[in-house]
PDB file of all heavy atoms in Angstrom:
ATOM      1  N   ALA A   1    -100.727 101.371 121.698  1.00 43.00           N
ATOM      2  CA  ALA A   1    -100.566  99.955 121.991  1.00 43.00           C
ATOM      3  C   ALA A   1     -99.177  99.456 121.637  1.00 43.00           C
ATOM      4  O   ALA A   1     -98.647  98.557 122.279  1.00 43.00           O
ATOM      5  CB  ALA A   1    -101.619  99.143 121.221  1.00 43.00           C
ATOM      6  N   HIS A   2     -98.550 100.048 120.606  1.00 43.00           N
ATOM      7  CA  HIS A   2     -97.278  99.535 120.135  1.00 43.00           C
ATOM      8  C   HIS A   2     -96.086 100.358 120.571  1.00 43.00           C
ATOM      9  O   HIS A   2     -94.954  99.930 120.412  1.00 43.00           O
ATOM     10  CB  HIS A   2     -97.298  99.422 118.605  1.00 43.00           C
ATOM     11  CG  HIS A   2     -98.217  98.348 118.121  1.00 43.00           C
ATOM     12  ND1 HIS A   2     -99.556  98.581 117.851  1.00 43.00           N
ATOM     13  CD2 HIS A   2     -98.031  97.027 117.907  1.00 43.00           C
ATOM     14  CE1 HIS A   2    -100.135  97.463 117.458  1.00 43.00           C
ATOM     15  NE2 HIS A   2     -99.237  96.506 117.487  1.00 43.00           N
ATOM     16  N   GLU A   3     -96.307 101.555 121.104  1.00 42.00           N
ATOM     17  CA  GLU A   3     -95.196 102.336 121.628  1.00 42.00           C
ATOM     18  C   GLU A   3     -94.735 101.694 122.931  1.00 42.00           C
ATOM     19  O   GLU A   3     -95.465 101.018 123.602  1.00 42.00           O
ATOM     20  CB  GLU A   3     -95.646 103.787 121.889  1.00 42.00           C
ATOM     21  CG  GLU A   3     -95.927 104.559 120.632  1.00 42.00           C
ATOM     22  CD  GLU A   3     -94.685 105.242 120.082  1.00 42.00           C
ATOM     23  OE1 GLU A   3     -93.601 105.054 120.648  1.00 42.00           O
ATOM     24  OE2 GLU A   3     -94.815 105.951 119.078  1.00 42.00           O
ATOM     25  N   GLY A   4     -93.508 101.963 123.320  1.00 40.00           N
ATOM     26  CA  GLY A   4     -93.057 101.446 124.600  1.00 40.00           C
ATOM     27  C   GLY A   4     -91.617 100.999 124.576  1.00 40.00           C
ATOM     28  O   GLY A   4     -91.111 100.490 125.563  1.00 40.00           O
ATOM     29  N   SER A   5     -90.926 101.170 123.474  1.00 39.00           N
ATOM     30  CA  SER A   5     -89.520 100.817 123.416  1.00 39.00           C
ATOM     31  C   SER A   5     -88.729 101.695 124.370  1.00 39.00           C
ATOM     32  O   SER A   5     -89.005 102.864 124.536  1.00 39.00           O
ATOM     33  CB  SER A   5     -89.006 101.019 121.985  1.00 39.00           C
ATOM     34  OG  SER A   5     -87.602 100.923 121.963  1.00 39.00           O
ATOM     35  N   THR A   6     -87.720 101.090 124.999  1.00 37.00           N
ATOM     36  CA  THR A   6     -86.851 101.871 125.880  1.00 37.00           C
ATOM     37  C   THR A   6     -85.550 102.233 125.177  1.00 37.00           C
ATOM     38  O   THR A   6     -84.666 102.797 125.801  1.00 37.00           O
ATOM     39  CB  THR A   6     -86.537 101.078 127.161  1.00 37.00           C
ATOM     40  OG1 THR A   6     -85.961  99.814 126.801  1.00 37.00           O
ATOM     41  CG2 THR A   6     -87.806 100.841 127.974  1.00 37.00           C
ATOM     42  N   ASP A   7     -85.424 101.894 123.908  1.00 46.00           N
ATOM     43  CA  ASP A   7     -84.259 102.249 123.124  1.00 46.00           C
ATOM     44  C   ASP A   7     -84.150 103.770 123.046  1.00 46.00           C
ATOM     45  O   ASP A   7     -85.079 104.439 122.602  1.00 46.00           O
ATOM     46  CB  ASP A   7     -84.416 101.664 121.712  1.00 46.00           C
ATOM     47  CG  ASP A   7     -83.212 101.944 120.820  1.00 46.00           C
ATOM     48  OD1 ASP A   7     -82.372 102.783 121.203  1.00 46.00           O
ATOM     49  OD2 ASP A   7     -83.123 101.325 119.753  1.00 46.00           O
ATOM     50  N   PRO A   8     -83.012 104.348 123.455  1.00 38.00           N
ATOM     51  CA  PRO A   8     -82.899 105.807 123.445  1.00 38.00           C
ATOM     52  C   PRO A   8     -82.957 106.410 122.061  1.00 38.00           C
ATOM     53  O   PRO A   8     -83.174 107.617 121.913  1.00 38.00           O
ATOM     54  CB  PRO A   8     -81.531 106.063 124.110  1.00 38.00           C
ATOM     55  CG  PRO A   8     -80.790 104.786 123.953  1.00 38.00           C
ATOM     56  CD  PRO A   8     -81.830 103.708 124.000  1.00 38.00           C
ATOM     57  N   GLU A   9     -82.768 105.598 121.015  1.00 46.00           N
ATOM     58  CA  GLU A   9     -82.870 106.099 119.651  1.00 46.00           C
ATOM     59  C   GLU A   9     -84.280 105.937 119.090  1.00 46.00           C
ATOM     60  O   GLU A   9     -84.544 106.281 117.953  1.00 46.00           O
ATOM     61  CB  GLU A   9     -81.864 105.367 118.743  1.00 46.00           C
ATOM     62  CG  GLU A   9     -80.415 105.709 119.045  1.00 46.00           C
ATOM     63  CD  GLU A   9     -80.143 107.194 118.896  1.00 46.00           C
ATOM     64  OE1 GLU A   9     -80.519 107.762 117.865  1.00 46.00           O
ATOM     65  OE2 GLU A   9     -79.583 107.782 119.845  1.00 46.00           O
ATOM     66  N   ASP A  10     -85.164 105.387 119.896  1.00 59.00           N
ATOM     67  CA  ASP A  10     -86.564 105.241 119.496  1.00 59.00           C
ATOM     68  C   ASP A  10     -87.157 106.610 119.178  1.00 59.00           C
ATOM     69  O   ASP A  10     -86.840 107.607 119.818  1.00 59.00           O
ATOM     70  CB  ASP A  10     -87.318 104.579 120.649  1.00 59.00           C
ATOM     71  CG  ASP A  10     -88.810 104.614 120.449  1.00 59.00           C
ATOM     72  OD1 ASP A  10     -89.338 103.793 119.708  1.00 59.00           O
ATOM     73  OD2 ASP A  10     -89.442 105.516 121.027  1.00 59.00           O
ATOM     74  N   GLU A  11     -88.052 106.651 118.194  1.00 67.00           N
ATOM     75  CA  GLU A  11     -88.599 107.938 117.757  1.00 67.00           C
ATOM     76  C   GLU A  11     -89.362 108.656 118.867  1.00 67.00           C
ATOM     77  O   GLU A  11     -89.294 109.882 118.989  1.00 67.00           O
ATOM     78  CB  GLU A  11     -89.519 107.740 116.549  1.00 67.00           C
ATOM     79  CG  GLU A  11     -90.041 109.057 116.003  1.00 67.00           C
ATOM     80  CD  GLU A  11     -90.646 108.929 114.626  1.00 67.00           C
ATOM     81  OE1 GLU A  11     -90.565 107.853 114.022  1.00 67.00           O
ATOM     82  OE2 GLU A  11     -91.216 109.927 114.145  1.00 67.00           O
ATOM     83  N   ALA A  12     -90.051 107.904 119.712  1.00 67.00           N
ATOM     84  CA  ALA A  12     -90.769 108.544 120.806  1.00 67.00           C
ATOM     85  C   ALA A  12     -89.800 109.218 121.767  1.00 67.00           C
ATOM     86  O   ALA A  12     -90.065 110.305 122.275  1.00 67.00           O
ATOM     87  CB  ALA A  12     -91.622 107.506 121.549  1.00 67.00           C
ATOM     88  N   ALA A  13     -88.665 108.568 122.009  1.00 70.00           N
ATOM     89  CA  ALA A  13     -87.663 109.162 122.894  1.00 70.00           C
ATOM     90  C   ALA A  13     -87.056 110.405 122.257  1.00 70.00           C
ATOM     91  O   ALA A  13     -86.794 111.404 122.929  1.00 70.00           O
ATOM     92  CB  ALA A  13     -86.570 108.135 123.219  1.00 70.00           C
ATOM     93  N   LEU A  14     -86.840 110.344 120.953  1.00 69.00           N
ATOM     94  CA  LEU A  14     -86.317 111.513 120.244  1.00 69.00           C
ATOM     95  C   LEU A  14     -87.283 112.687 120.372  1.00 69.00           C
ATOM     96  O   LEU A  14     -86.885 113.811 120.672  1.00 69.00           O
ATOM     97  CB  LEU A  14     -86.109 111.186 118.759  1.00 69.00           C
ATOM     98  CG  LEU A  14     -84.821 110.482 118.356  1.00 69.00           C
ATOM     99  CD1 LEU A  14     -84.914 110.048 116.898  1.00 69.00           C
ATOM    100  CD2 LEU A  14     -83.622 111.379 118.575  1.00 69.00           C
ATOM    101  N   ALA A  15     -88.553 112.408 120.141  1.00 72.00           N
ATOM    102  CA  ALA A  15     -89.553 113.474 120.213  1.00 72.00           C
ATOM    103  C   ALA A  15     -89.615 114.067 121.610  1.00 72.00           C
ATOM    104  O   ALA A  15     -89.720 115.286 121.781  1.00 72.00           O
ATOM    105  CB  ALA A  15     -90.925 112.935 119.801  1.00 72.00           C
ATOM    106  N   ASP A  16     -89.537 113.206 122.617  1.00 73.00           N
ATOM    107  CA  ASP A  16     -89.618 113.703 123.988  1.00 73.00           C
ATOM    108  C   ASP A  16     -88.386 114.534 124.334  1.00 73.00           C
ATOM    109  O   ASP A  16     -88.476 115.534 125.037  1.00 73.00           O
ATOM    110  CB  ASP A  16     -89.753 112.536 124.956  1.00 73.00           C
ATOM    111  CG  ASP A  16     -90.396 112.943 126.267  1.00 73.00           C
ATOM    112  OD1 ASP A  16     -91.314 113.788 126.232  1.00 73.00           O
ATOM    113  OD2 ASP A  16     -89.984 112.429 127.310  1.00 73.00           O
ATOM    114  N   ALA A  17     -87.230 114.117 123.824  1.00 71.00           N
ATOM    115  CA  ALA A  17     -85.996 114.861 124.102  1.00 71.00           C
ATOM    116  C   ALA A  17     -86.044 116.246 123.462  1.00 71.00           C
ATOM    117  O   ALA A  17     -85.612 117.237 124.053  1.00 71.00           O
ATOM    118  CB  ALA A  17     -84.785 114.076 123.595  1.00 71.00           C
ATOM    119  N   VAL A  18     -86.533 116.321 122.251  1.00 76.00           N
ATOM    120  CA  VAL A  18     -86.645 117.609 121.562  1.00 76.00           C
ATOM    121  C   VAL A  18     -87.731 118.459 122.213  1.00 76.00           C
ATOM    122  O   VAL A  18     -87.591 119.675 122.359  1.00 76.00           O
ATOM    123  CB  VAL A  18     -86.969 117.398 120.068  1.00 76.00           C
ATOM    124  CG1 VAL A  18     -87.285 118.713 119.387  1.00 76.00           C
ATOM    125  CG2 VAL A  18     -85.793 116.719 119.377  1.00 76.00           C
ATOM    126  N   GLY A  19     -88.797 117.789 122.644  1.00 86.00           N
ATOM    127  CA  GLY A  19     -89.930 118.496 123.233  1.00 86.00           C
ATOM    128  C   GLY A  19     -91.152 118.308 122.358  1.00 86.00           C
ATOM    129  O   GLY A  19     -91.199 118.819 121.226  1.00 86.00           O
ATOM    130  N   LEU A  20     -92.121 117.528 122.844  1.00 85.00           N
ATOM    131  CA  LEU A  20     -93.321 117.274 122.045  1.00 85.00           C
ATOM    132  C   LEU A  20     -94.043 118.561 121.693  1.00 85.00           C
ATOM    133  O   LEU A  20     -94.526 118.736 120.574  1.00 85.00           O
ATOM    134  CB  LEU A  20     -94.264 116.334 122.807  1.00 85.00           C
ATOM    135  CG  LEU A  20     -93.799 114.881 122.971  1.00 85.00           C
ATOM    136  CD1 LEU A  20     -94.784 114.118 123.828  1.00 85.00           C
ATOM    137  CD2 LEU A  20     -93.667 114.211 121.614  1.00 85.00           C
ATOM    138  N   ALA A  21     -94.115 119.481 122.663  1.00 89.00           N
ATOM    139  CA  ALA A  21     -94.813 120.737 122.396  1.00 89.00           C
ATOM    140  C   ALA A  21     -94.103 121.521 121.298  1.00 89.00           C
ATOM    141  O   ALA A  21     -94.751 122.104 120.418  1.00 89.00           O
ATOM    142  CB  ALA A  21     -94.910 121.576 123.666  1.00 89.00           C
ATOM    143  N   LEU A  22     -92.767 121.537 121.328  1.00 92.00           N
ATOM    144  CA  LEU A  22     -92.023 122.249 120.289  1.00 92.00           C
ATOM    145  C   LEU A  22     -92.284 121.638 118.923  1.00 92.00           C
ATOM    146  O   LEU A  22     -92.520 122.361 117.937  1.00 92.00           O
ATOM    147  CB  LEU A  22     -90.527 122.224 120.593  1.00 92.00           C
ATOM    148  CG  LEU A  22     -89.626 122.857 119.520  1.00 92.00           C
ATOM    149  CD1 LEU A  22     -89.981 124.325 119.290  1.00 92.00           C
ATOM    150  CD2 LEU A  22     -88.156 122.715 119.886  1.00 92.00           C
ATOM    151  N   LEU A  23     -92.276 120.317 118.825  1.00 92.00           N
ATOM    152  CA  LEU A  23     -92.531 119.667 117.537  1.00 92.00           C
ATOM    153  C   LEU A  23     -93.937 119.976 117.027  1.00 92.00           C
ATOM    154  O   LEU A  23     -94.142 120.177 115.834  1.00 92.00           O
ATOM    155  CB  LEU A  23     -92.332 118.152 117.656  1.00 92.00           C
ATOM    156  CG  LEU A  23     -90.888 117.680 117.821  1.00 92.00           C
ATOM    157  CD1 LEU A  23     -90.850 116.174 118.042  1.00 92.00           C
ATOM    158  CD2 LEU A  23     -90.033 118.057 116.616  1.00 92.00           C
ATOM    159  N   VAL A  24     -94.901 120.009 117.944  1.00 93.00           N
ATOM    160  CA  VAL A  24     -96.274 120.349 117.553  1.00 93.00           C
ATOM    161  C   VAL A  24     -96.320 121.748 116.956  1.00 93.00           C
ATOM    162  O   VAL A  24     -96.924 121.979 115.899  1.00 93.00           O
ATOM    163  CB  VAL A  24     -97.222 120.256 118.767  1.00 93.00           C
ATOM    164  CG1 VAL A  24     -98.560 120.926 118.471  1.00 93.00           C
ATOM    165  CG2 VAL A  24     -97.450 118.798 119.153  1.00 93.00           C
ATOM    166  N   VAL A  25     -95.686 122.709 117.624  1.00 94.00           N
ATOM    167  CA  VAL A  25     -95.725 124.085 117.143  1.00 94.00           C
ATOM    168  C   VAL A  25     -94.931 124.228 115.846  1.00 94.00           C
ATOM    169  O   VAL A  25     -95.356 124.942 114.925  1.00 94.00           O
ATOM    170  CB  VAL A  25     -95.195 125.059 118.221  1.00 94.00           C
ATOM    171  CG1 VAL A  25     -95.233 126.490 117.702  1.00 94.00           C
ATOM    172  CG2 VAL A  25     -96.042 124.950 119.492  1.00 94.00           C
ATOM    173  N   LEU A  26     -93.806 123.547 115.737  1.00 94.00           N
ATOM    174  CA  LEU A  26     -93.036 123.596 114.494  1.00 94.00           C
ATOM    175  C   LEU A  26     -93.868 123.111 113.310  1.00 94.00           C
ATOM    176  O   LEU A  26     -93.719 123.609 112.191  1.00 94.00           O
ATOM    177  CB  LEU A  26     -91.761 122.751 114.611  1.00 94.00           C
ATOM    178  CG  LEU A  26     -90.650 123.301 115.507  1.00 94.00           C
ATOM    179  CD1 LEU A  26     -89.491 122.304 115.582  1.00 94.00           C
ATOM    180  CD2 LEU A  26     -90.149 124.656 115.008  1.00 94.00           C
ATOM    181  N   ASP A  27     -94.757 122.154 113.578  1.00 92.00           N
ATOM    182  CA  ASP A  27     -95.611 121.635 112.501  1.00 92.00           C
ATOM    183  C   ASP A  27     -96.615 122.661 111.998  1.00 92.00           C
ATOM    184  O   ASP A  27     -97.215 122.468 110.942  1.00 92.00           O
ATOM    185  CB  ASP A  27     -96.366 120.386 112.982  1.00 92.00           C
ATOM    186  CG  ASP A  27     -95.798 119.107 112.390  1.00 92.00           C
ATOM    187  OD1 ASP A  27     -94.881 119.196 111.562  1.00 92.00           O
ATOM    188  OD2 ASP A  27     -96.286 118.019 112.748  1.00 92.00           O
ATOM    189  N   THR A  28     -96.837 123.736 112.752  1.00 92.00           N
ATOM    190  CA  THR A  28     -97.771 124.775 112.311  1.00 92.00           C
ATOM    191  C   THR A  28     -97.092 125.809 111.407  1.00 92.00           C
ATOM    192  O   THR A  28     -97.766 126.659 110.837  1.00 92.00           O
ATOM    193  CB  THR A  28     -98.408 125.511 113.507  1.00 92.00           C
ATOM    194  OG1 THR A  28     -97.412 126.303 114.175  1.00 92.00           O
ATOM    195  CG2 THR A  28     -99.019 124.530 114.497  1.00 92.00           C
TER     196      THR A  28
END
């Protein structure tokens, strides 16, 4: 509900740039 910023420094944008799947696997 609260995500949606278009700021390129937004954490969601950072995660997407790095790769959500990669971050998930790194967490293991």
Side-chain angles (χ1 to χ4, degrees):
H2 291 89
E3 291 272 4
S5 169
T6 56
D7 182 347
E9 291 301 311
D10 169 80
E11 184 165 353
L14 277 171
D16 204 37
V18 172
L20 290 176
L22 176 59
L23 289 175
V24 166
V25 180
L26 288 177
D27 254 356
T28 69

